[in-house]
Amino acid sequence: SSSSSSSLPRLPSPSFCRTAASLSMLTLASFTLASAGLVADLELPSFGQTLRVVRSEGFRRLASADDWADVIGDPDCITSGLYFDPTVQRCLSCSEVDTNAVLRSDISSSDTQALEQGAFGQCKCASGYVQCPSGQTCTVDDTATKVTEGPFKCLQCPTVDNSQTAPTEDLRSCLPCFVDSSSSNTTLGFSEDTNDCLCPAGYALSERSDSGDLLNAKICVKCSDGLLGASQSEPSSTYVCGPCDDPERMERDTDTGECVCKTGQTDGSNYVEQGGSCIAVTDYNSVNTRFPVSSAKSITFRDLIDGRETMFENSPFGETLGVDSAGDNMKEVLALTDTTRTESPTVSSSTMEWLYIRCSADCLNGNATACQCVSNLCVLMLYEDTSTVCRFLTNYLYEGRETINYASLGSGFGVEGMPWLLYQGQTALQIVSDASLTWKYTLADDPSGQSDVSNTLVFWLAKYSLGGAWLGWESLTDQLDLCLQLGGTSDGPQSPSSAWRRFASSLVTKCTVPLLNILKCGANPYFYELFIEDVSGALLPVPVRILNLIKDQDRPNLNYDSSVWSRQQKDISDDVLVRRFTLCDSMSGRGGSSANSFLDSSQLPVVFRWAAHMLIDVSVRPDEGQIYVPVLSIAYAEKKTANLGDGDLTHVSFKAEYSMDASGYWTVMLIFFCLVCAATLFLTILRMYLISCRYPSIPLIVPGGDLNLFLPRLVLQVQVLLSTGLTLLFWFHWLMSMYWLVVFKAQDAPFILLPSAIYGNNYEPHDALMITTLTLVSTCLILDLAKHMKVVIFLVDWERGEPTKAPNPVQTPMPNYGYGMGQVGMGQPLFGGQAGRFGGHSPPHFDQQTGSMSRFGDAQGQAAAMGATNSEGNGNFADQGVSAWRTLFVANQLNQRLSSTRLLAPITWLCMLALLEGMTWKNAARWYPRFTGDDNLISSQFNPFLQFALGTSLWLAIIFLQLVIRRVASVFIGDELHDFVDICSTANVSVLLLDEPFHGFYIHGKAPGGRGELCHSELSTQLHREEKGIGLPRGLTLDDCQTFELYLPPDLSVQISGGSPMHFRQMLYQIFGGVNSTLLTMKNRRPARPEPQDVAEMTRHRCRVQSLVDSLVHAVMRRANDVVQDRTAAHWFWGLVPQGGVAALRQPIFWKDNIGLAWAACLAYGSEIRALGLGLPSGFEWHLALLELFSFQMTWRFQGSITCAAAVAFLVNQTVLTLYAVLGSWRLAHTTLINSIFFVGAKPGAQGLLYIIVFLMLVIHEASS
C-alpha cells in the first residue's frame, strides 16, 4: 500500500515474495545438513529471511570480524580458491564436483547463504556450459541429459554453424544468438564477457514466446524508457525489461538499471532509503525530527559481566535461602549505584539504524508488522524510559489512542491498535493480583476427572521475529530453560521439561553454558509473549518483570523488601511489568560504520546480552486450589566480544516457585515462640532456684585460698538457663518444621504451600534458629564438660587388712611410677583401708541445738588415718595388708564407663545415611508435593524446612528405637551401669560422687559378707545364695537399695573416735589443698620425679580422705532410718531438693534411687527422664546428640551432601567423647588419688578409629565426586 493508505497491514512486495520462494528452496536444500546436526538456525538481518548457518568447531578467540566469520564457516576456503563443504566441513575444489566447474567470483567468506549451500552455492559451471542441477533434465544439442549424481553437472553449449550457442536463463538448454542486421530484434552475437548473447543499448534479451515456450534463438527487444535493467547507453545481456517492484516509490537508474528511491519529484513525493526500503521524506521527518535516529541507535550496556563473573553467578531470585545468601548478590550488582560497575560501553547500533526509521514510518502508515518491529526494538532497549525508540512508542505511537481492556485475554489493559507491550492504567499490585484464572489446582496425582481441576499448568508462547513477523504459537516446554536450549552442563540431574509445570513442584535448574552458544543464539533473536491456558481454553497473559529495566534513572524492579510478614507489597507497588521479552540478543550490540553493517553477517557485535536468570513465580490465592496469574522475572547479563575466549562459560539458571502468603503462619509461629520464651523463663527461674537451694553461697576459708574444687554456682545457673532454652527451642523448631512436612506432603487440595524463596527472607528465621541452637548446644556441652570435670569421686574400700611393718624406705627405695613434670600421677597406688580401723562403733551423737556445726557420728582410728606415716616415710601404712587390685579394678571399670553413652553414634549415622541416601528418603525433603514421585521429584530442590523436619524426625526415630532395644536387651543381658553396681558389691568398694559441694550420688558397694578378698569357691557360693534369695542384703537398707542421691548440710561435721569433730567440707578442701601442694612440689623439683617422702605424703592424703568418707558412710548406716528416704516421682521429674534447701538440713539426706541409674548423671550418660520404663537423655548425652544432629543439619543444609553431613556428625561425637575420656580419666585419677598409669580404656579403641577412617573415606569420596 502507499504511504497514505488505510490502517490495513501492508502486503509484502513482489520482490519480497520471490526472496521468500528462493529461501524456501534454500531451506529444502539444507534439510540434509540439518538432519546431520551440522547447521543451526540464523535469521538474516532483514525481514523474514531465514537461512542455515554452519556450526564450525575449533573457535579461536573472537576479536575481529574475521574471527566472527569463523563461527559461520571457514573463511580460508574461498581465499584459497576452494569451496567449503558443510557436510564434511572441509575445503574442496570445485573441479571435484565437475571438471568444468569453477569457483564463483561473486562470493566471499561472509556470504553465509552460499556457504551453507556448499558446492551448489559456491561453484558454477565455466563459460559456455549449462549448469544442470541434480535430479533435473537438461537439453543440449537436441540431447536430453538427467543429472543423478552430485549437486549439478556442467554441459557445454555446442557451436552450431560456426556460432557459439549460449545457455538459457534457467541454464537448462542452449540457444543460438539471432543475428540479422535487417531485423530490429537482432543481437550483437555471443559475448565472451557475459557468456551470453549481447543486445544493443536500450534492448534486453528475450528467449521465450508469449506462451512461455523457448524460441529458436535468443532475440533482443526494445525497452521503454525507465524499464531496462541495465545501462541505457551500453550494450548488455540483461533479461530485465520492466518496472521496479514498487514503481510508486522506486525508479531505475539510467546508468546502472538498478532500482533506486525516487527523488526530486515535482509533486513533492520524495523518498529516502531506510533499511532497504524507500520511505517518504515526510514520514522520515515526522519520526526523525522528534525522535532522531542518531540518538535511537545509541545503546548503553550497563550490566557487563566482564571482570565480575562471580557476581552474576548467583540468581537474584532466591538462589540461596536464608542466611546462605552471603557473597555476591546479582541484585546488588544490577543496581545503578553499584560501585563494581567500571564500564558501560555505548554502541552505535547498526541494527537500530537499519530498522528504526523503516519500522517506525511503516507503523505510522498502518503496517502492523512494522509496529511489532518497533515494539521489539524497545524490548532490545530493555524498556528504558529515556531511550528514543521507547519514547517514540509511548509518546508518539500511543498518543491519542484509547486504553482498552483485553477482556478476551482475561484481564489487562493495552493501547488500541498497537501491540500489547506495556500494561496501561494498572498498578503492579493489581497486575500480580489478577485472579482471572479459574482453574482449581490439586496436589493429587489424579485430578479425579473434574473438568475444572488440574495438577499441571499449561503455558503458550506467542513468537515474533526481530522484524515483527508473527511466527505462530508454541506450547511451552523447555524454551525458557537455556540450560536445555544451549547445551548447558550441570553437576546435578537435568529436570524434565514438564517438571516445573506440575503444580507446587518448585525447582531450580542451574548450569554453565558456553558463551559462544549464546552468541549464536542471539544472532537470530526471537521475541516472546507468555500466556497461561485457562479452563475454557482462553489464554491469559503472563506479566514479565525485567530486573534491568530503567525508569526515572532507577531500577524499580529490584525488590529488596525482606519482610516475612507480607508479600513485599511495598516493593512491588512501584514495579514496571511488561509483556514481551527475548532470551538472547547479539543484534542490538552490532556496530559498524553504516546501517549496511546490519546486512554483514560477519560483523562481530561489540556486546551481546542474554537472560542469565529467570523465575516463574506462581502464587496461590486464598481460595482453595486457585492461583493468581503467574509472573515471569528475568535478569539479563551482558558480555563484550572483545573479551570472549574459546571455551568461556557463564552461569544461567531457571527457577519455578509455587508459594503462598505465609504471613498468617509467621504470626502463629511468633505467638508460639513467645510462649516458648515464657516457658523457658519460668523453667529457668525454677531450676535456678533449685540450684540456689542445693548450692547455697556459703564462703569457706581454707589455707591456700579457694581450690575451685567444684564449678561455681553462677556457671551452673548459666548452664541451666542455656540448657532449658536449648531444649524448648529445639522442640519448637522441630514442630515448626514438621508442620510443613506433614501438611504440605499430605494435602491434596493446596491448603498451604511452602514459603516463598524468591528473596530468601522467609527462611532466615529457620536458619537463625539452627545457628542459635547450634551455638547454644555447643556452649551447653562445654559447660557440661566443665561441670563433669569438677566431679569429686571417692572410692571407699571396706576390706579389713592386717597391718605389717613397712620396710625402711631409705634401705629399700620406692619404685618410680612415672611421677614427674606433666604427669597426672597422684603417688603410689594406695591400698584399701579397714572399716573397723577408720570407723568407730560408739553410738552416734547428733546435737540439734548446736548453732554452727552439727556433729554426725564418729569413727575409730583417726590417729592411724591422719598420721599413717611421717614425712620420711617411716612407720606403718594405714592400708597395708589389703590388696590394691580390687580398688584398681573398680576404678578401671568406672574409667571405662566415663565416656559411655546410651546411644551408639555409628549405628545412628549409618542408619541415617542408609535411609536418606541409600533408600533415597532424602527426596521427601524436596520442594515437591508428594513423598515419592518420578523425575520431577528428583529435579526439585531441597526445602530447608522439609530437610530439618525429615532429618530430625528420622534421627528421633532412630535414637528412640535404640533406647527401646537397649531397654529390652537389659532385661536379658543386663545393663553396664547396673553391672558396675554389682562389681562394687563384689569388690567390697563403695563410690561417692560429689558434683556440687552439698550434692552428689552414692553407690553402696559394701559386700554382704563384709569381705571382697574371696576365693573362687567362696564367691560362687555367695552369688548362688543371693540368687536363691537367702543371702545377706547388699543395700544400705533392708530393701536392698544400693544407689542414692544425697544432699549434705553445709555445716556437716563427722566425729572420728579419738579426735575432735571435723568439718566435712573444710577437711575435704584441706586434704585436696595438701594434694595440690605435693603435686606442685614434685612438678617443680629438678629432675621432676617423686621422692619416697612424696609417695608417703600422697598415701597420707589418700588415707585421710578414706577416713573422712568412711566415717560419713558408717554414720549414715547407723542412722539409715532417718537419713535414707524415698523420693516421689514428681521429685525425680522436677529435680526438687529437700524442703528448705540444704541450708536447713541438720543431717544428710540420702534419697533412694531404685532405678539404680541416677549416679550416671556424673558420666557422659548425663541425667535422664524416665518415661514408660525408658530413660530419655536430658543431660550431657542429650546435648551431645543435639550437637551431632545440628552438625548434620547444618552440613546438609549448606553443603548439600548427606554423606558429608553424617560423617561430620559422627566425627563430632567421637571428638567430644575422646576428649571426655581423656579429661575424665585425669579427673578420676586426681580425686581418687590413683596413678593414671593403672587406667585402661581412656583412649579411643580400634573400633572407633576404624569408624573414623571409614567416614573420612566417605567424605573424601563425596568431595572428589
Side-chain angles (χ1 to χ4, degrees):
S1 63
S2 65
S3 59
S4 59
S5 62
S6 65
S7 60
L8 293 175
R10 188 179 68 178
L11 296 175
S13 64
S15 61
F16 179 88
C17 295
R18 284 198 297 270
T19 303
S22 300
L23 289 171
S24 65
M25 294 178 62
L26 206 118
T27 303
L28 180 63
S30 64
F31 175 78
T32 303
L33 298 180
S35 63
L38 299 173
V39 294
D41 290 333
L42 267 181
E43 183 183 5
L44 273 179
S46 56
F47 291 87
Q49 299 184 22
T50 302
L51 52 79
R52 314 287 283 174
V53 176
V54 178
R55 299 184 191 272
S56 177
E57 302 297 332
F59 299 123
R60 301 187 302 272
R61 183 173 183 82
L62 299 179
S64 65
D66 292 337
D67 291 330
W68 170 242
D70 195 31
V71 177
I72 306 172
D74 191 338
D76 298 326
C77 296
I78 305 301
T79 57
S80 301
L82 305 173
Y83 80 94
F84 178 73
D85 190 333
T87 303
V88 297
Q89 297 191 0
R90 292 173 51 197
C91 297
L92 301 175
S93 172
C94 291
S95 61
E96 296 184 29
V97 178
D98 191 280
T99 55
N100 296 306
V102 296
L103 186 69
R104 288 175 50 186
S105 60
D106 58 341
I107 62 170
S108 66
S109 60
S110 62
D111 192 338
T112 56
Q113 180 176 353
L115 290 175
E116 80 89 30
Q117 289 180 303
F120 188 81
Q122 301 170 64
C123 299
K124 69 173 185 177
C125 293
S127 298
Y129 288 83
V130 170
Q131 185 170 321
C132 190
S134 176
Q136 303 294 325
T137 300
C138 301
T139 302
V140 176
D141 195 17
D142 296 331
T143 302
T145 302
K146 183 175 182 179
V147 178
T148 58
E149 295 181 358
F152 61 84
K153 185 175 181 62
C154 297
L155 304 175
Q156 187 174 15
C157 287
T159 299
V160 179
D161 297 333
N162 296 324
S163 296
Q164 176 65 47
T165 59
T168 56
E169 187 177 10
D170 60 6
L171 299 179
R172 296 293 185 85
S173 59
C174 299
L175 289 178
C177 300
F178 175 69
V179 179
D180 185 356
S181 58
S182 62
S183 173
S184 60
N185 297 117
T186 184
T187 67
L188 300 180
F190 183 82
S191 171
E192 295 290 343
D193 294 331
T194 63
N195 294 314
D196 207 342
C197 302
L198 194 65
C199 287
Y203 284 78
L205 283 173
S206 176
E207 56 188 24
R208 295 185 181 273
S209 64
D210 294 339
S211 61
D213 297 329
L214 285 176
L215 300 174
N216 294 327
K218 295 188 178 187
I219 62 174
C220 296
V221 294
K222 179 68 174 178
C223 280
S224 302
D225 292 341
L227 299 182
L228 183 65
S231 173
Q232 292 280 359
S233 58
E234 299 290 338
S236 68
S237 297
T238 182
Y239 291 86
V240 179
C241 183
C244 294
D245 294 335
D246 187 2
E248 183 178 348
R249 305 184 181 203
M250 306 181 74
E251 62 183 0
R252 294 195 179 276
D253 184 272
T254 56
D255 293 331
T256 63
E258 298 291 335
C259 290
V260 296
C261 296
K262 292 182 177 180
T263 58
Q265 302 298 309
T266 55
D267 59 359
S269 55
N270 296 326
Y271 298 90
V272 60
E273 183 180 357
Q274 285 292 314
S277 179
C278 294
I279 303 299
V281 173
T282 54
D283 293 340
Y284 176 88
N285 292 334
S286 64
V287 175
N288 193 60
T289 301
R290 292 180 55 188
F291 308 96
V293 66
S294 58
S295 63
K297 68 180 182 179
S298 179
I299 303 179
T300 301
F301 295 89
R302 298 178 176 85
D303 302 310
L304 297 180
I305 69 171
D306 301 84
R308 305 189 299 167
E309 286 80 3
T310 58
M311 301 180 185
F312 285 80
E313 180 176 342
N314 292 329
S315 166
F317 309 120
E319 168 81 8
T320 50
L321 305 180
V323 299
D324 190 27
S325 58
D328 298 317
N329 187 332
M330 184 177 175
K331 191 180 295 184
E332 298 174 359
V333 175
L334 291 178
L336 296 179
T337 56
D338 179 53
T339 57
T340 64
R341 183 182 290 104
T342 58
E343 184 180 11
S344 298
T346 298
V347 176
S348 179
S349 173
S350 60
T351 300
M352 289 291 180
E353 188 174 4
W354 180 265
L355 295 177
Y356 169 60
I357 293 292
R358 170 183 174 175
C359 293
S360 298
D362 285 351
C363 181
L364 287 175
N365 294 320
N367 188 323
T369 301
C371 293
Q372 299 284 6
C373 172
V374 176
S375 299
N376 291 341
L377 297 181
C378 183
V379 174
L380 292 181
M381 300 299 299
L382 299 184
Y383 297 91
E384 184 174 347
D385 60 343
T386 59
S387 66
T388 300
V389 63
C390 290
R391 287 192 301 108
F392 172 74
L393 189 70
T394 57
N395 298 346
Y396 192 77
L397 293 180
Y398 290 178
E399 194 174 33
R401 296 177 183 263
E402 293 185 6
T403 299
I404 61 171
N405 182 9
Y406 288 96
S408 61
L409 298 179
S411 66
F413 294 85
V415 177
E416 182 182 15
M418 294 297 297
W420 188 12
L421 195 67
L422 304 169
Y423 285 88
Q424 301 290 324
Q426 289 177 286
T427 66
L429 286 176
Q430 291 174 326
I431 298 171
V432 299
S433 301
D434 183 1
S436 303
L437 199 62
T438 58
W439 276 114
K440 291 182 179 179
Y441 291 99
T442 178
L443 301 174
D445 295 329
D446 184 6
S448 302
Q450 302 179 48
S451 60
D452 62 342
V453 176
S454 176
N455 61 4
T456 304
L457 280 68
V458 178
F459 291 89
W460 291 85
L461 287 170
K463 188 175 181 181
Y464 300 86
S465 69
L466 173 60
W470 162 254
L471 301 179
W473 292 100
E474 291 184 357
S475 176
L476 178 60
T477 53
D478 58 3
Q479 292 93 326
L480 302 183
D481 192 345
L482 293 185
C483 291
L484 297 174
Q485 290 291 308
L486 300 179
T489 57
S490 174
D491 295 335
Q494 292 285 352
S495 61
S497 59
S498 60
W500 65 271
R501 294 188 291 108
R502 168 68 188 267
F503 182 70
S505 300
S506 298
L507 64 82
V508 176
T509 300
K510 297 184 290 185
C511 68
T512 54
V513 173
L515 282 166
L516 286 175
N517 290 0
I518 297 176
L519 187 64
K520 291 190 287 184
C521 167
N524 181 31
Y526 293 113
F527 296 81
Y528 300 98
E529 292 175 1
L530 184 61
F531 296 83
I532 184 171
E533 184 177 322
D534 202 1
V535 177
S536 63
L539 300 182
L540 307 185
V542 174
V544 179
R545 178 189 289 112
I546 296 177
L547 270 61
N548 311 69
L549 182 146
I550 296 178
K551 180 181 180 182
D552 299 331
Q553 300 302 312
D554 191 18
R555 285 183 161 166
N557 293 342
L558 296 177
N559 299 325
Y560 295 98
D561 190 351
S562 59
S563 170
V564 301
W565 312 108
S566 67
R567 296 183 63 216
Q568 296 84 32
Q569 293 185 355
K570 180 179 177 181
D571 251 2
I572 291 178
S573 60
D574 65 344
D575 282 8
V576 178
L577 302 178
V578 296
R579 290 284 301 112
R580 191 172 296 184
F581 63 95
T582 187
L583 299 177
C584 313
D585 169 28
S586 300
M587 297 302 295
S588 61
R590 179 178 291 181
S593 57
S594 66
N596 290 330
S597 299
F598 173 75
L599 301 176
D600 185 1
S601 59
S602 66
Q603 180 69 42
L604 182 69
V606 179
V607 179
F608 61 100
R609 175 190 293 144
W610 66 97
H613 303 286
M614 286 182 283
L615 163 73
I616 289 283
D617 180 21
V618 183
S619 296
V620 179
R621 290 153 49 186
D623 307 320
E624 184 176 323
Q626 294 191 307
I627 66 174
Y628 297 103
V629 171
V631 178
L632 171 65
S633 299
I634 303 176
Y636 288 96
E638 300 158 351
K639 175 75 175 179
K640 293 180 65 175
T641 53
N643 300 328
L644 180 61
D646 181 21
D648 284 356
L649 303 173
T650 189
H651 292 268
V652 301
S653 71
F654 174 79
K655 179 175 183 177
E657 183 186 272
Y658 296 79
S659 62
M660 181 180 287
D661 184 6
S663 57
Y665 166 80
W666 288 115
T667 301
V668 173
M669 287 301 106
L670 180 61
I671 294 174
F672 276 106
F673 182 75
C674 292
L675 294 176
V676 168
C677 292
T680 301
L681 181 62
F682 169 75
L683 292 176
T684 300
I685 293 175
L686 174 62
R687 297 183 67 186
M688 284 185 172
Y689 168 75
L690 295 176
I691 290 178
S692 299
C693 288
R694 70 172 188 258
Y695 193 165
S697 180
I698 300 177
L700 182 66
I701 300 176
V702 294
D706 188 6
L707 300 179
N708 291 321
L709 199 59
F710 300 97
L711 206 64
R713 184 178 70 175
L714 179 61
V715 177
L716 293 178
Q717 290 176 326
V718 171
Q719 191 270 346
V720 162
L721 169 64
L722 299 180
S723 176
T724 305
L726 163 68
T727 301
L728 292 179
L729 196 62
F730 163 74
W731 291 112
F732 166 76
H733 192 185
W734 178 65
L735 292 174
M736 180 183 77
S737 301
M738 278 299 295
Y739 170 82
W740 293 110
L741 181 65
V742 174
V743 175
F744 178 67
K745 294 288 185 176
Q747 61 185 342
D748 284 338
F751 170 72
I752 191 168
L753 296 185
L754 291 165
S756 170
I758 295 179
Y759 303 105
N761 50 289
N762 278 299
Y763 294 90
E764 287 178 1
H766 166 78
D767 290 345
L769 279 177
M770 279 214 304
I771 295 172
T772 301
T773 309
L774 181 62
T775 304
L776 286 177
V777 73
S778 301
T779 307
C780 281
L781 205 59
I782 293 173
L783 295 179
D784 281 343
L785 189 61
K787 178 182 178 181
H788 285 221
M789 294 307 108
K790 287 293 186 178
V791 173
V792 178
I793 304 175
F794 305 105
L795 300 181
V796 182
D797 193 338
W798 300 106
E799 198 73 13
R800 299 174 184 269
E802 295 297 332
T804 59
K805 179 68 177 178
N808 191 325
V810 178
Q811 297 174 352
T812 306
M814 298 294 291
N816 184 354
Y817 289 102
Y819 319 125
M821 187 74 69
Q823 297 267 347
V824 196
M826 305 303 169
Q828 181 182 7
L830 305 176
F831 311 106
Q834 303 176 40
R837 187 171 183 178
F838 295 121
H841 297 280
S842 59
H845 174 71
F846 180 72
D847 185 3
Q848 299 188 30
Q849 304 301 320
T850 56
S852 60
M853 177 182 296
S854 63
R855 299 177 180 180
F856 186 73
D858 74 355
Q860 294 180 343
Q862 181 185 17
M866 300 304 173
T869 180
N870 59 30
S871 60
E872 297 299 328
N874 299 319
N876 294 330
F877 290 101
D879 53 3
Q880 280 185 299
V882 178
S883 173
W885 296 112
R886 287 176 301 97
T887 304
L888 293 178
F889 177 67
V890 171
N892 270 288
Q893 290 296 313
L894 180 57
N895 184 50
Q896 292 176 4
R897 287 165 172 79
L898 285 177
S899 58
S900 297
T901 56
R902 302 169 185 82
L903 307 174
L904 299 177
I907 299 298
T908 301
W909 297 113
L910 285 175
C911 287
M912 289 285 285
L913 189 60
L915 293 176
L916 290 175
E917 194 70 62
M919 299 184 66
T920 66
W921 286 14
K922 65 180 181 180
N923 291 332
R926 295 186 183 276
W927 215 312
Y928 189 81
R930 285 292 180 267
F931 286 98
T932 58
D934 49 17
D935 292 341
N936 296 350
L937 169 64
I938 299 176
S939 60
S940 300
Q941 69 177 136
F942 287 111
N943 179 271
F945 282 140
L946 303 185
Q947 280 180 280
F948 186 82
L950 177 66
T952 303
S953 299
L954 284 178
W955 175 79
L956 287 173
I958 292 170
I959 64 174
F960 180 77
L961 186 60
Q962 287 190 69
L963 294 175
V964 171
I965 294 175
R966 179 184 179 87
R967 178 68 182 90
V968 173
S970 67
V971 175
F972 300 98
I973 63 176
D975 182 273
E976 64 174 347
L977 298 182
H978 291 153
D979 292 345
F980 179 75
V981 177
D982 293 338
I983 289 172
C984 291
S985 293
T986 304
N988 201 20
V989 176
S990 293
V991 182
L992 178 65
L993 306 98
L994 293 179
D995 59 347
E996 296 173 10
F998 316 112
H999 175 265
F1001 303 91
Y1002 175 66
I1003 301 175
H1004 187 63
K1006 189 171 183 178
R1011 294 177 56 227
E1013 296 288 347
L1014 302 174
C1015 68
H1016 183 270
S1017 298
E1018 291 176 308
L1019 181 60
S1020 298
T1021 300
Q1022 181 175 311
L1023 295 177
H1024 181 67
R1025 290 172 61 85
E1026 288 186 13
E1027 184 179 1
K1028 288 187 173 183
I1030 59 176
L1032 297 175
R1034 291 185 178 184
L1036 193 60
T1037 57
L1038 295 178
D1039 60 2
D1040 226 16
C1041 182
Q1042 291 183 260
T1043 56
F1044 305 88
E1045 181 177 359
L1046 62 89
Y1047 292 87
L1048 303 177
D1051 57 354
L1052 173 68
S1053 66
V1054 292
Q1055 180 73 46
I1056 298 179
S1057 178
S1060 60
M1062 292 191 304
H1063 192 285
F1064 183 85
R1065 182 184 176 202
Q1066 188 171 25
M1067 194 63 198
L1068 190 64
Y1069 273 72
Q1070 289 179 355
I1071 293 172
F1072 278 95
V1075 171
N1076 292 341
S1077 177
T1078 303
L1079 291 176
L1080 183 62
T1081 299
M1082 289 189 294
K1083 180 179 179 180
N1084 293 332
R1085 183 182 294 122
R1086 295 295 181 271
R1089 56 181 299 173
E1091 298 293 339
Q1093 61 270 24
D1094 300 324
V1095 176
E1097 188 69 17
M1098 295 299 290
T1099 301
R1100 189 171 72 89
H1101 296 321
R1102 196 265 183 194
C1103 290
R1104 294 178 69 189
V1105 172
Q1106 173 83 12
S1107 175
L1108 188 66
V1109 178
D1110 178 272
S1111 300
L1112 172 64
V1113 175
H1114 266 86
V1116 170
M1117 293 172 64
R1118 291 192 297 272
R1119 297 291 300 273
N1121 292 335
D1122 296 328
V1123 175
V1124 178
Q1125 302 177 12
D1126 290 315
R1127 194 178 191 184
T1128 64
H1131 272 70
W1132 279 114
F1133 182 82
W1134 292 105
L1136 300 180
V1137 300
Q1139 186 175 4
V1142 297
L1145 295 178
R1146 288 298 175 261
Q1147 64 181 11
I1149 296 294
F1150 276 55
W1151 270 337
K1152 295 180 182 179
D1153 173 25
N1154 294 314
I1155 302 298
L1157 301 175
W1159 65 276
C1162 297
L1163 312 180
Y1165 278 86
S1167 58
E1168 67 179 17
I1169 298 175
R1170 302 295 299 185
L1172 301 177
L1174 294 180
L1176 306 178
S1178 61
F1180 182 89
E1181 185 177 6
W1182 170 245
H1183 296 154
L1184 175 58
L1186 285 181
L1187 180 63
E1188 297 172 41
L1189 172 65
F1190 279 89
S1191 299
F1192 172 85
Q1193 293 284 14
M1194 293 288 285
T1195 305
W1196 186 20
R1197 166 76 175 85
F1198 296 109
Q1199 195 273 339
S1201 168
I1202 293 177
T1203 303
C1204 286
V1208 168
F1210 175 75
L1211 293 177
V1212 166
N1213 172 275
Q1214 293 296 293
T1215 301
V1216 173
L1217 290 182
T1218 300
L1219 179 63
Y1220 191 103
V1222 173
L1223 296 179
S1225 180
W1226 175 86
R1227 183 66 177 178
L1228 179 63
H1230 180 71
T1231 58
T1232 59
L1233 303 182
I1234 295 178
N1235 197 318
S1236 62
I1237 65 173
F1238 290 94
F1239 289 163
V1240 294
K1243 298 179 181 179
Q1247 186 181 28
L1249 290 176
L1250 178 62
Y1251 287 143
I1252 293 175
I1253 293 173
V1254 170
F1255 272 96
L1256 284 177
M1257 292 176 63
L1258 288 175
V1259 172
I1260 295 173
H1261 171 74
E1262 187 74 15
S1264 63
S1265 61

